[in-house]
Amino acid sequence: MVKSGNNGLEEPPELSRRPATALIAFASSMAMDDDVDEEVLRRLIRAVLSKKAEQAALITGLGLTNNPHTALIVSHLLAAHVAELRQQENGLLDADQVTGVWGQRLTVGAMLAAMGAAIPGTLSGGVAIALVLLAMSAGAFAAAGRLRGRSKRNQIARNREEAEALSRHLLEAIKTAPSL
């Protein structure tokens, strides 16, 4: 057992220097109206959500706290994080629908225009081929951008679902456990 610096209570050594423990300390500070660094708080939440062991340490650590409101504060912080992730996810979806879809449509239109100009002989063969290749490469960039955006959106959705699940588990633990 390791003595905690804040309250003199002993805690298991595996909880002494973990992001989960730091998140609990931040939530306890918030309960006492202390100012906390929002960016550090976001990084701690991301660190806790990144590993199942940290999530388990968070739930265990919340069971050891003296303040029963700490678990509610952590749940609230997770809910706020979920809202931020949902906003990022929606922003990426909007960007994909505006720039991605229309970029691909413009690319196809440019290819058709280049081919249409080459067929009657308005453009010479070399210029028409260059324009078609240029339009095809623009289409490839648009598709690659959409795939990157989709990959980011999927990662954010996974993170959001993980945070929602942990928040639900905390709320259930609060309802059922007398110490939380």
Side-chain angles (χ1 to χ4, degrees):
M1 300 296 244
V2 175
K3 285 210 174 202
S4 171
N6 306 16
N7 52 15
L9 296 177
E10 292 187 353
E11 58 185 19
E14 62 270 13
L15 292 178
S16 62
R17 289 189 180 93
R18 300 184 86 140
T21 309
L23 182 59
I24 293 168
F26 268 72
S28 295
S29 292
M30 290 175 76
M32 294 182 283
D33 266 347
D34 292 342
D35 287 333
V36 294
D37 185 355
E38 295 291 326
E39 184 54 37
V40 173
L41 193 58
R42 281 187 196 94
R43 283 188 291 169
L44 286 172
I45 290 171
R46 285 192 299 262
V48 168
L49 292 173
S50 68
K51 295 180 181 173
K52 297 288 184 194
E54 288 299 326
Q55 294 172 25
L58 178 67
I59 293 169
T60 303
L62 287 170
L64 299 173
T65 62
N66 292 333
N67 186 349
H69 301 290
T70 304
L72 286 172
I73 293 169
V74 170
S75 180
H76 174 72
L77 292 172
L78 288 171
H81 186 69
V82 165
E84 286 178 19
L85 291 175
R86 187 170 282 125
Q87 187 176 10
Q88 289 176 5
E89 190 178 357
N90 290 338
L92 286 173
L93 182 62
D94 291 345
D96 178 59
Q97 289 176 346
V98 172
T99 58
V101 172
W102 284 102
Q104 286 184 316
R105 288 178 183 168
L106 288 173
T107 298
V108 170
M111 271 195 309
L112 290 174
M115 285 188 248
I119 291 173
T122 307
L123 295 175
S124 67
V127 173
I129 290 173
L131 288 176
V132 168
L133 290 176
L134 181 66
M136 287 177 68
S137 64
F141 283 117
R146 289 191 77 191
L147 289 174
R148 255 191 324 274
R150 181 173 290 146
S151 174
K152 281 183 186 177
R153 205 170 60 242
N154 289 341
Q155 180 62 42
I156 289 172
R158 282 191 298 274
N159 292 344
R160 178 184 48 77
E161 290 167 1
E162 189 74 30
E164 286 174 335
L166 182 57
S167 182
R168 274 193 311 273
H169 293 314
L170 284 178
L171 290 175
E172 288 298 319
I174 291 167
K175 290 177 189 175
T176 58
S179 63
L180 290 178

